[in-house]
Amino acid sequence: MPDSERLYLGLDVGRTIRGALVGCEGHIFTQRRVVAEVSDPQVFIDQLVDTINTLNSAEEADGRVIAAGIGWAGMVDQRAQHVEVTPNLVDISAFDLHHELERATGIPVIFDNDANVAAYGEWRTGAARGFEDVFYASMGTGIGAALILGGRLQRGSRGFAGEFGHFKIDMAGLECACGSRGCLETMASGPNIVRRVREKLFSDPSFSISQLAKDMEGTLVCERVFRAAMEEDELALSVLRETGMILGTALASIINLLNVEVVVLGGGVMAEGEFLLGPIREEAQKRTMPPAFENCRIVAAELGKDAGIIGAALLARDSHKDSFLAGN
Ligand SMILES: [Zn+2]
């Protein structure tokens, strides 16, 4: 079959399982989503098998699916193709899921973590296209990141590199879910942006006129903070400005350390990224060695929520090609 007719499956697995049938250049033909089962591992595995089999038997697939890529919200041992830790999902670490999925679907599968596949998508068809040295960070409920250096995705020795969310920014900071303290995630993730809005409102009476004050009784979500910022709410603007400064400080260390050409920022928190990008750039510039900053752009991601499914499929495309060429 000519390369141009080959199709791939891309799955992005978190609290929602998203799967897509993707063309060899990253075009999405069809997609499916299902809320992930969080208590029964066998039901969860059946959901994954069903997602792959349904996409593979879709009319558009036409027997042309070559391989599937899966990005996991968690830590994946790259060498063993084993999912080690999935903080917000059912615990599947005891299963040989890679073998199980290949057996149940008859399709070669490749695992990676969700930030790596999203970065791969942005690198191949999105905001990092054409660059060789890229830092990608995804900001949502958690903060993940991926590194492309010298034109290769770098995963570290076992696949655990890129845990940018657990970058230490405050020695005396809050306890983090990882067991440490003062991680970037404890300040700049979606839920922590909301936490800081609440704290600021209670500690500074001048913010009591904020439109967010009346939301405090119910569930305040990060999207609401961005909406308030669009309406020029001072409290929302102040917390987002500060969030940008925190992220800019963390990114300055990345730029100083790695001298990347581009920093791509994605994830749900960046959906209204203009409130963050300005302060991020300003703060990063103050804290980066000037020649390294001048050589580096800081931009918003382009593929939105599809980065993971497109990237997982393209990673499957390129990995399959590599192993084929290597004679495996
Ligand atoms: Zn942490």
Side-chain angles (χ1 to χ4, degrees):
M1 187 188 322
D3 280 1
S4 61
E5 288 179 17
R6 296 176 169 203
L7 300 177
Y8 299 87
L9 302 183
L11 273 71
D12 191 1
V13 180
R15 294 298 283 261
T16 301
I17 299 170
R18 296 186 70 209
L21 177 67
V22 178
C24 67
E25 298 298 331
H27 169 75
I28 294 176
F29 286 94
T30 180
Q31 55 175 299
R32 270 176 75 78
R33 52 187 299 166
V34 55
V35 176
E37 160 69 32
V38 287
S39 52
D40 184 334
Q42 197 52 55
V43 175
F44 174 70
I45 294 169
D46 290 345
Q47 287 181 315
L48 294 169
V49 170
D50 183 57
T51 301
I52 294 174
N53 285 340
T54 306
L55 289 166
N56 188 33
S57 57
E59 203 179 319
E60 300 95 324
D62 195 23
R64 292 183 287 144
V65 173
I66 303 293
I70 304 184
W72 295 91
M75 293 174 87
V76 175
D77 183 329
Q78 186 63 28
R79 276 195 228 159
Q81 286 287 291
H82 183 257
V83 182
E84 299 280 331
V85 185
T86 43
N88 298 309
L89 297 175
V90 61
D91 182 7
I92 40 156
S93 58
F95 291 80
D96 182 358
L97 209 52
H98 188 261
H99 176 256
E100 179 70 13
L101 291 180
E102 289 197 336
R103 189 196 56 78
T105 64
I107 295 173
V109 172
I110 182 156
F111 285 180
D112 213 318
N113 94 358
D114 55 355
N116 282 347
V117 299
Y120 204 81
E122 291 290 345
W123 184 37
R124 289 309 188 200
T125 65
R129 203 172 45 250
F131 292 98
E132 295 269 295
D133 297 292
V134 180
F135 184 77
Y136 168 86
S138 170
M139 286 162 309
T141 313
I143 297 179
L147 274 170
I148 291 150
L149 296 176
R152 285 186 79 90
L153 183 59
Q154 304 288 339
R155 303 177 174 94
S157 65
R158 295 275 297 277
F160 307 145
E163 290 294 336
F164 184 51
H166 304 286
F167 219 72
K168 308 300 176 261
I169 52 161
D170 182 357
M171 279 169 68
L174 290 181
E175 215 169 284
C176 176
C178 73
S180 183
R181 274 186 181 280
C183 299
L184 179 61
E185 205 162 285
T186 67
M187 297 294 284
S189 68
N192 280 295
I193 291 176
V194 170
R195 175 186 61 74
R196 289 176 25 245
V197 166
R198 287 182 191 276
E199 276 180 11
K200 230 181 171 82
L201 182 71
F202 291 123
S203 64
D204 186 342
S206 69
F207 286 126
S208 62
I209 53 159
S210 162
Q211 55 172 284
L212 292 171
K214 52 185 178 295
D215 291 318
M216 288 299 147
E217 297 298 318
T219 341
L220 180 62
V221 293
C222 199
E223 289 78 9
R224 178 76 187 90
V225 180
F226 280 99
R227 217 163 55 236
M230 276 178 230
E231 288 159 17
E232 295 180 9
D233 182 83
E234 275 304 321
L235 172 60
L237 288 170
S238 144
V239 168
L240 292 180
R241 198 159 42 235
E242 202 176 87
T243 306
M245 288 166 70
I246 295 165
L247 287 166
T249 302
L251 288 171
S253 297
I254 295 290
I255 298 167
N256 279 334
L257 183 71
L258 299 174
N259 182 209
V260 288
E261 302 166 276
V262 65
V263 170
V264 178
L265 301 174
V269 167
M270 287 302 295
E272 305 297 339
E274 72 267 30
F275 291 104
L276 295 173
L277 271 177
I280 287 174
R281 289 189 182 119
E282 220 172 278
E283 202 60 29
Q285 180 167 22
K286 276 190 219 156
R287 296 176 187 271
T288 307
M289 307 297 274
F293 186 81
E294 280 154 27
N295 178 56
C296 180
R297 304 174 197 199
I298 302 176
V299 300
E302 288 176 4
L303 303 182
K305 287 194 170 87
D306 294 336
I309 45 179
I310 294 173
L314 296 183
L315 188 66
R317 174 196 72 182
D318 297 344
S319 306
H320 187 263
K321 223 185 276 173
D322 286 350
S323 60
F324 182 72
L325 290 172
N328 292 328

